[in-house]
Amino acid sequence: MKQDLSTRYALLTRLPLFQGISSTDLLNLEEAMRLDLEEFHASKQPLIRQGDPCSKLVYLVEGELKRERRSADDRFSTRSSLRGPAVIEVDRLFGLTPTYEYSYHIQTDIKVLAIRKTLISSHLMKSEVFRLNLLNTLSAIAQKKSAALLPVQMNNAEERLRHFVGTLFQDSEGEVELFIQMTDIARYIGETRVTVSRVLNGLNQEGSIRLGREHFTIHDIKAFLNKRNSMPSLQHHEPAIEYS
């Protein structure tokens, strides 16, 4: 989709990694790279598949993607949303495994900007502001992942469950879904299936999650992870929801 220069400039100023670049430098970059948006309509076919080579710097400019990830041991999968403007897995562009961690499905009509790796090295990396923005972004991602691996003292099953979920949804917002069998949750957090069932049913009763068959939905992942332990409320003997 072709756009006039002013429109393309206004677009770039909104995107991560470009913020802070002077108008002159930004216009020069845009003119040299000839960036154009691509539009896609909602579809069941994935835009990007987990494991695909990460060969471009991809921006979701407008719209919403549903992202899914299958665990390496094939025991569970996660589902969350990504809304524009956002950059897609910039930390996977280089390194030992430059492949995508997630599959991305088009949830609404979207606009995408894709920049080839060759243009990153030949043009973008010449901008000091872009380099600093990229370094800050990569450092933040690395620090979040490192923090998730640190030992944490947890006193009960609900705290262990929240910590486990937190490692899976480090940068997600809003509603998320976890597809996993209860016996596998029990193995991951070192609890019995009965205890996991009791915790999940308690969270379901208080409205933090919605239980389904072999999966559950968390309505607000940030609120869920920040909420204080609610184990005492699980002493009430409410009817349990069957969850395999």
Side-chain angles (χ1 to χ4, degrees), residues 52-76:
D52 281 352
C54 188
S55 58
K56 296 179 180 180
L57 177 61
V58 180
Y59 285 98
L60 173 62
V61 179
E62 293 181 7
E64 180 178 341
L65 293 171
K66 188 71 71 175
R67 57 182 180 179
E68 300 178 349
R69 180 175 62 180
R70 190 74 191 173
S71 66
D73 59 7
D74 206 34
R75 291 285 185 179
F76 65 86

Side-chain angles (χ1 to χ4, degrees), residues 210-224:
R210 182 175 68 253
L211 287 179
R213 182 169 180 79
E214 297 187 354
H215 84 283
F216 60 92
T217 301
I218 301 173
H219 304 300
D220 184 336
I221 182 61
K222 286 191 173 181
F224 177 83

Side-chain angles (χ1 to χ4, degrees), residues 97-125:
T97 54
T99 56
Y100 288 101
E101 284 190 287
Y102 295 85
S103 294
Y104 293 83
H105 297 265
I106 305 172
Q107 193 75 3
T108 66
D109 291 351
I110 62 171
K111 294 180 181 179
V112 171
L113 176 64
I115 304 173
R116 299 190 308 274
K117 271 187 180 181
T118 54
L119 292 176
I120 297 174
S121 58
S122 64
H123 292 82
L124 294 180
M125 294 301 285

Side-chain angles (χ1 to χ4, degrees), residues 78-164:
T78 63
R79 183 182 294 167
S80 57
S81 295
L82 182 68
R83 298 176 179 86
V87 61
I88 298 178
E89 297 193 39
V90 65
D91 58 317
R92 308 294 292 186
L93 270 172
F94 305 99
L96 297 176
T97 54
T99 56
Y100 288 101
E101 284 190 287
Y102 295 85
S103 294
Y104 293 83
H105 297 265
I106 305 172
Q107 193 75 3
T108 66
D109 291 351
I110 62 171
K111 294 180 181 179
V112 171
L113 176 64
I115 304 173
R116 299 190 308 274
K117 271 187 180 181
T118 54
L119 292 176
I120 297 174
S121 58
S122 64
H123 292 82
L124 294 180
M125 294 301 285
K126 292 180 180 179
S127 166
E128 182 179 7
V129 175
F130 180 88
R131 294 198 306 270
L132 289 173
N133 287 341
L134 179 61
L135 180 60
N136 282 331
T137 299
L138 295 178
S139 296
I141 292 171
Q143 289 164 13
K144 285 181 180 179
K145 291 186 176 182
S146 176
L149 297 175
L150 292 175
V152 178
Q153 182 175 347
M154 292 166 284
N155 298 315
N156 53 56
E158 184 177 330
E159 290 181 358
R160 282 187 277 277
L161 174 65
R162 290 185 192 274
H163 179 73
F164 171 65

